[in-house]
Short mmCIF file of all heavy atoms in Angstrom, two decimals:
data_model
loop_
_atom_site.label_atom_id
_atom_site.label_comp_id
_atom_site.label_asym_id
_atom_site.label_seq_id
_atom_site.Cartn_x
_atom_site.Cartn_y
_atom_site.Cartn_z
N ASN A 1 0.81 -1.21 -0.02
CA ASN A 1 0.02 0.01 -0.01
C ASN A 1 0.89 1.27 0.00
O ASN A 1 0.49 2.25 -0.67
CB ASN A 1 -0.97 0.01 1.20
CG ASN A 1 -2.07 -1.00 1.08
OD1 ASN A 1 -2.51 -1.31 -0.06
ND2 ASN A 1 -2.53 -1.57 2.15
N LEU A 2 1.97 1.22 0.72
CA LEU A 2 2.85 2.42 0.73
C LEU A 2 3.45 2.63 -0.65
O LEU A 2 3.58 3.78 -1.09
CB LEU A 2 3.99 2.16 1.77
CG LEU A 2 3.60 2.26 3.24
CD1 LEU A 2 4.80 2.00 4.11
CD2 LEU A 2 3.01 3.63 3.55
N ALA A 3 3.81 1.57 -1.33
CA ALA A 3 4.45 1.70 -2.66
C ALA A 3 3.45 2.31 -3.66
O ALA A 3 3.82 3.06 -4.55
CB ALA A 3 4.89 0.35 -3.14
N LYS A 4 2.14 2.02 -3.49
CA LYS A 4 1.16 2.53 -4.38
C LYS A 4 0.87 4.03 -4.15
O LYS A 4 0.32 4.74 -4.99
CB LYS A 4 -0.15 1.76 -4.25
CG LYS A 4 -0.05 0.33 -4.79
CD LYS A 4 -1.37 -0.35 -4.97
CE LYS A 4 -2.00 -0.68 -3.62
NZ LYS A 4 -3.26 -1.49 -3.77
N LYS A 5 1.30 4.53 -2.98
CA LYS A 5 1.02 5.91 -2.59
C LYS A 5 2.18 6.85 -2.88
O LYS A 5 1.99 8.07 -3.01
CB LYS A 5 0.65 6.00 -1.10
CG LYS A 5 -0.69 5.32 -0.79
CD LYS A 5 -0.95 5.39 0.70
CE LYS A 5 -2.27 4.64 1.04
NZ LYS A 5 -2.52 4.61 2.54
N ILE A 6 3.41 6.34 -2.92
CA ILE A 6 4.52 7.26 -3.07
C ILE A 6 4.54 7.85 -4.52
O ILE A 6 4.05 7.26 -5.44
CB ILE A 6 5.92 6.57 -2.79
CG1 ILE A 6 6.19 5.43 -3.79
CG2 ILE A 6 5.98 6.11 -1.35
CD1 ILE A 6 7.56 4.85 -3.63
N LYS A 7 5.11 9.07 -4.63
CA LYS A 7 5.17 9.72 -5.91
C LYS A 7 6.55 9.58 -6.56
O LYS A 7 7.55 9.47 -5.83
CB LYS A 7 4.82 11.23 -5.69
CG LYS A 7 3.41 11.46 -5.17
CD LYS A 7 3.13 12.91 -4.94
CE LYS A 7 1.74 13.16 -4.39
NZ LYS A 7 1.48 14.61 -4.18
N PRO A 8 6.59 9.61 -7.87
CA PRO A 8 7.90 9.54 -8.57
C PRO A 8 8.82 10.67 -8.15
O PRO A 8 8.36 11.77 -7.88
CB PRO A 8 7.50 9.63 -10.04
CG PRO A 8 6.05 9.21 -10.12
CD PRO A 8 5.48 9.67 -8.82
N SER A 9 10.08 10.34 -8.10
CA SER A 9 11.11 11.33 -7.77
C SER A 9 11.40 12.23 -8.94
O SER A 9 10.76 12.11 -10.03
CB SER A 9 12.39 10.64 -7.32
OG SER A 9 12.95 9.91 -8.45
N LYS A 10 12.36 13.14 -8.82
CA LYS A 10 12.75 13.99 -9.93
C LYS A 10 13.30 13.16 -11.09
O LYS A 10 13.28 13.60 -12.25
CB LYS A 10 13.82 15.00 -9.44
CG LYS A 10 13.29 16.02 -8.46
CD LYS A 10 14.46 16.93 -7.99
CE LYS A 10 13.92 17.94 -6.97
NZ LYS A 10 15.02 18.83 -6.46
N ARG A 11 13.80 11.94 -10.80
CA ARG A 11 14.26 11.07 -11.84
C ARG A 11 13.09 10.32 -12.56
O ARG A 11 13.33 9.52 -13.48
CB ARG A 11 15.27 10.04 -11.29
CG ARG A 11 16.45 10.60 -10.61
CD ARG A 11 17.48 9.52 -10.36
NE ARG A 11 17.00 8.44 -9.51
CZ ARG A 11 17.58 7.29 -9.33
NH1 ARG A 11 18.70 7.05 -10.01
NH2 ARG A 11 17.10 6.37 -8.54
N GLY A 12 11.87 10.53 -12.04
CA GLY A 12 10.73 9.89 -12.59
C GLY A 12 10.56 8.46 -12.12
O GLY A 12 9.86 7.65 -12.77
N GLU A 13 11.18 8.12 -11.02
CA GLU A 13 11.15 6.73 -10.50
C GLU A 13 10.48 6.67 -9.11
O GLU A 13 10.52 7.62 -8.34
CB GLU A 13 12.56 6.18 -10.39
CG GLU A 13 13.26 6.06 -11.72
CD GLU A 13 14.59 5.37 -11.59
OE1 GLU A 13 14.92 4.85 -10.51
OE2 GLU A 13 15.37 5.31 -12.64
N LEU A 14 9.92 5.48 -8.83
CA LEU A 14 9.43 5.21 -7.47
C LEU A 14 10.60 4.67 -6.69
O LEU A 14 11.04 3.55 -6.81
CB LEU A 14 8.30 4.15 -7.54
CG LEU A 14 7.05 4.52 -8.39
CD1 LEU A 14 6.05 3.39 -8.34
CD2 LEU A 14 6.46 5.80 -7.86
N GLU A 15 11.14 5.56 -5.83
CA GLU A 15 12.42 5.30 -5.15
C GLU A 15 12.20 4.38 -3.93
O GLU A 15 11.25 4.60 -3.16
CB GLU A 15 13.07 6.61 -4.73
CG GLU A 15 13.28 7.61 -5.82
CD GLU A 15 14.49 7.25 -6.73
OE1 GLU A 15 15.14 6.23 -6.44
OE2 GLU A 15 14.75 8.05 -7.65
N ILE A 16 13.10 3.47 -3.73
CA ILE A 16 13.05 2.63 -2.55
C ILE A 16 13.33 3.44 -1.31
O ILE A 16 12.81 3.16 -0.24
CB ILE A 16 14.06 1.44 -2.68
CG1 ILE A 16 13.70 0.31 -1.73
CG2 ILE A 16 15.51 1.94 -2.45
CD1 ILE A 16 12.56 -0.54 -2.20
N THR A 17 14.13 4.54 -1.46
CA THR A 17 14.40 5.42 -0.32
C THR A 17 13.09 6.09 0.16
O THR A 17 12.90 6.30 1.32
CB THR A 17 15.42 6.50 -0.74
OG1 THR A 17 16.64 5.83 -0.99
CG2 THR A 17 15.61 7.49 0.37
N SER A 18 12.19 6.44 -0.78
CA SER A 18 10.94 7.03 -0.41
C SER A 18 10.14 6.09 0.48
O SER A 18 9.49 6.46 1.47
CB SER A 18 10.11 7.40 -1.64
OG SER A 18 10.79 8.35 -2.43
N LEU A 19 10.14 4.80 0.11
CA LEU A 19 9.50 3.75 0.91
C LEU A 19 10.10 3.67 2.32
O LEU A 19 9.41 3.68 3.32
CB LEU A 19 9.60 2.39 0.24
CG LEU A 19 8.53 1.96 -0.69
CD1 LEU A 19 8.80 0.56 -1.19
CD2 LEU A 19 7.14 1.96 -0.01
N ASN A 20 11.42 3.61 2.35
CA ASN A 20 12.15 3.54 3.63
C ASN A 20 11.84 4.76 4.54
O ASN A 20 11.72 4.63 5.75
CB ASN A 20 13.63 3.39 3.39
CG ASN A 20 14.03 2.06 2.80
OD1 ASN A 20 13.30 1.04 2.95
ND2 ASN A 20 15.07 2.01 2.03
N LEU A 21 11.74 5.94 3.89
CA LEU A 21 11.42 7.17 4.66
C LEU A 21 10.03 7.05 5.28
O LEU A 21 9.75 7.55 6.36
CB LEU A 21 11.61 8.37 3.78
CG LEU A 21 13.06 8.78 3.48
CD1 LEU A 21 13.07 9.89 2.44
CD2 LEU A 21 13.77 9.19 4.74
N GLU A 22 9.12 6.46 4.50
CA GLU A 22 7.70 6.31 5.03
C GLU A 22 7.73 5.39 6.24
O GLU A 22 7.09 5.68 7.26
CB GLU A 22 6.80 5.77 3.95
CG GLU A 22 6.40 6.77 2.91
CD GLU A 22 5.60 7.94 3.47
OE1 GLU A 22 4.74 7.70 4.31
OE2 GLU A 22 5.87 9.08 3.07
N PHE A 23 8.42 4.29 6.17
CA PHE A 23 8.54 3.39 7.32
C PHE A 23 9.24 4.10 8.51
O PHE A 23 8.85 3.92 9.68
CB PHE A 23 9.28 2.13 6.95
CG PHE A 23 8.45 1.09 6.24
CD1 PHE A 23 8.67 0.81 4.90
CD2 PHE A 23 7.48 0.37 6.95
CE1 PHE A 23 7.90 -0.17 4.24
CE2 PHE A 23 6.69 -0.56 6.28
CZ PHE A 23 6.94 -0.85 4.94
N LEU A 24 10.26 4.87 8.19
CA LEU A 24 10.99 5.61 9.23
C LEU A 24 10.07 6.60 9.90
O LEU A 24 10.11 6.76 11.11
CB LEU A 24 12.20 6.28 8.64
CG LEU A 24 13.13 7.06 9.58
CD1 LEU A 24 13.69 6.14 10.64
CD2 LEU A 24 14.24 7.74 8.83
N LYS A 25 9.24 7.32 9.09
CA LYS A 25 8.33 8.31 9.66
C LYS A 25 7.36 7.68 10.63
O LYS A 25 6.97 8.25 11.63
CB LYS A 25 7.55 8.98 8.52
CG LYS A 25 6.70 10.14 8.90
CD LYS A 25 5.86 10.62 7.77
CE LYS A 25 6.68 11.02 6.56
NZ LYS A 25 5.83 11.51 5.44
N GLN A 26 6.98 6.42 10.32
CA GLN A 26 6.03 5.69 11.21
C GLN A 26 6.75 4.97 12.36
O GLN A 26 6.11 4.26 13.12
CB GLN A 26 5.28 4.66 10.37
CG GLN A 26 4.41 5.23 9.28
CD GLN A 26 3.74 4.18 8.43
OE1 GLN A 26 3.63 3.03 8.80
NE2 GLN A 26 3.29 4.54 7.24
N LYS A 27 8.11 5.15 12.42
CA LYS A 27 8.92 4.51 13.46
C LYS A 27 8.76 2.96 13.34
O LYS A 27 8.68 2.24 14.34
CB LYS A 27 8.54 4.95 14.84
CG LYS A 27 8.81 6.48 15.06
CD LYS A 27 8.48 6.92 16.42
CE LYS A 27 8.80 8.41 16.61
NZ LYS A 27 8.50 8.89 18.01
N LYS A 28 8.76 2.51 12.09
CA LYS A 28 8.65 1.05 11.84
C LYS A 28 9.77 0.59 10.92
O LYS A 28 9.58 -0.23 10.06
CB LYS A 28 7.31 0.76 11.17
CG LYS A 28 6.10 0.97 12.07
CD LYS A 28 4.78 0.61 11.33
CE LYS A 28 3.59 0.76 12.23
NZ LYS A 28 2.34 0.45 11.51
N LEU A 29 11.00 1.12 11.14
CA LEU A 29 12.12 0.76 10.33
C LEU A 29 13.31 0.50 11.17
O LEU A 29 13.70 1.35 12.02
CB LEU A 29 12.42 1.79 9.29
CG LEU A 29 13.53 1.46 8.28
CD1 LEU A 29 13.02 0.42 7.30
CD2 LEU A 29 14.05 2.69 7.55
N GLU A 30 13.94 -0.66 10.99
CA GLU A 30 15.21 -0.99 11.65
C GLU A 30 16.33 -1.06 10.58
O GLU A 30 16.09 -1.58 9.45
CB GLU A 30 15.13 -2.33 12.41
CG GLU A 30 14.17 -2.33 13.55
CD GLU A 30 14.10 -3.67 14.25
OE1 GLU A 30 15.04 -4.48 14.05
OE2 GLU A 30 13.14 -3.92 14.97
N VAL A 31 17.51 -0.61 10.94
CA VAL A 31 18.65 -0.76 10.01
C VAL A 31 19.72 -1.58 10.72
O VAL A 31 20.24 -1.18 11.78
CB VAL A 31 19.23 0.65 9.66
CG1 VAL A 31 20.43 0.42 8.70
CG2 VAL A 31 18.21 1.49 8.92
N ASN A 32 20.03 -2.73 10.23
CA ASN A 32 21.05 -3.60 10.72
C ASN A 32 22.35 -3.35 9.95
O ASN A 32 22.35 -3.23 8.74
CB ASN A 32 20.68 -5.09 10.58
CG ASN A 32 19.58 -5.48 11.53
OD1 ASN A 32 19.06 -4.67 12.21
ND2 ASN A 32 19.17 -6.74 11.52
N ILE A 33 23.46 -3.23 10.69
CA ILE A 33 24.75 -3.00 10.05
C ILE A 33 25.37 -4.36 9.71
O ILE A 33 25.50 -5.24 10.53
CB ILE A 33 25.69 -2.22 10.94
CG1 ILE A 33 25.06 -0.85 11.31
CG2 ILE A 33 27.04 -1.99 10.31
CD1 ILE A 33 24.75 0.02 10.09
N LEU A 34 25.79 -4.46 8.43
CA LEU A 34 26.48 -5.68 7.97
C LEU A 34 27.98 -5.50 8.24
O LEU A 34 28.63 -4.73 7.51
CB LEU A 34 26.27 -5.87 6.49
CG LEU A 34 24.81 -6.23 6.08
CD1 LEU A 34 24.76 -6.38 4.56
CD2 LEU A 34 24.34 -7.50 6.74
N ASP A 35 28.48 -6.08 9.34
CA ASP A 35 29.89 -5.93 9.66
C ASP A 35 30.65 -7.26 9.59
O ASP A 35 31.88 -7.22 9.70
CB ASP A 35 30.01 -5.35 11.06
CG ASP A 35 29.25 -6.12 12.10
OD1 ASP A 35 28.76 -7.20 11.83
OD2 ASP A 35 29.17 -5.60 13.31
N SER A 36 30.02 -8.34 9.32
CA SER A 36 30.69 -9.61 9.15
C SER A 36 30.36 -10.27 7.83
O SER A 36 30.49 -11.45 7.65
CB SER A 36 30.35 -10.55 10.30
OG SER A 36 28.95 -10.83 10.30
N VAL A 37 29.90 -9.43 6.88
CA VAL A 37 29.41 -9.87 5.57
C VAL A 37 30.05 -8.98 4.49
O VAL A 37 30.18 -7.78 4.69
CB VAL A 37 27.89 -9.84 5.47
CG1 VAL A 37 27.46 -10.11 4.03
CG2 VAL A 37 27.25 -10.82 6.41
N PHE A 38 30.48 -9.59 3.41
CA PHE A 38 30.97 -8.84 2.28
C PHE A 38 29.78 -8.52 1.35
O PHE A 38 28.97 -9.42 1.05
CB PHE A 38 32.02 -9.61 1.49
CG PHE A 38 33.32 -9.72 2.18
CD1 PHE A 38 33.65 -10.91 2.90
CD2 PHE A 38 34.22 -8.72 2.20
CE1 PHE A 38 34.85 -11.06 3.58
CE2 PHE A 38 35.48 -8.82 2.84
CZ PHE A 38 35.75 -9.98 3.56
#
């Protein structure tokens, strides 16, 4: 549902960053650091 609501960026694309920002705004986003993976 979030993907259907976001608007295209200046590049004309539906950005994954826009989705992540929506989850972040709702405080529903975790970021795990990959420190033992290439």
Side-chain angles (χ1 to χ4, degrees):
N1 287 330
L2 288 178
K4 291 192 289 186
K5 293 177 182 177
I6 63 173
K7 297 179 180 179
S9 66
K10 293 178 181 179
R11 300 193 301 166
E13 296 186 7
L14 299 180
E15 306 282 1
I16 200 78
T17 295
S18 299
L19 269 183
N20 291 332
L21 287 172
E22 285 298 319
F23 279 110
L24 182 61
K25 187 188 302 182
Q26 297 176 19
K27 297 183 178 180
K28 292 181 178 179
L29 186 72
E30 296 180 16
V31 180
N32 289 2
I33 300 301
L34 294 177
D35 53 10
S36 60
V37 171
F38 290 99

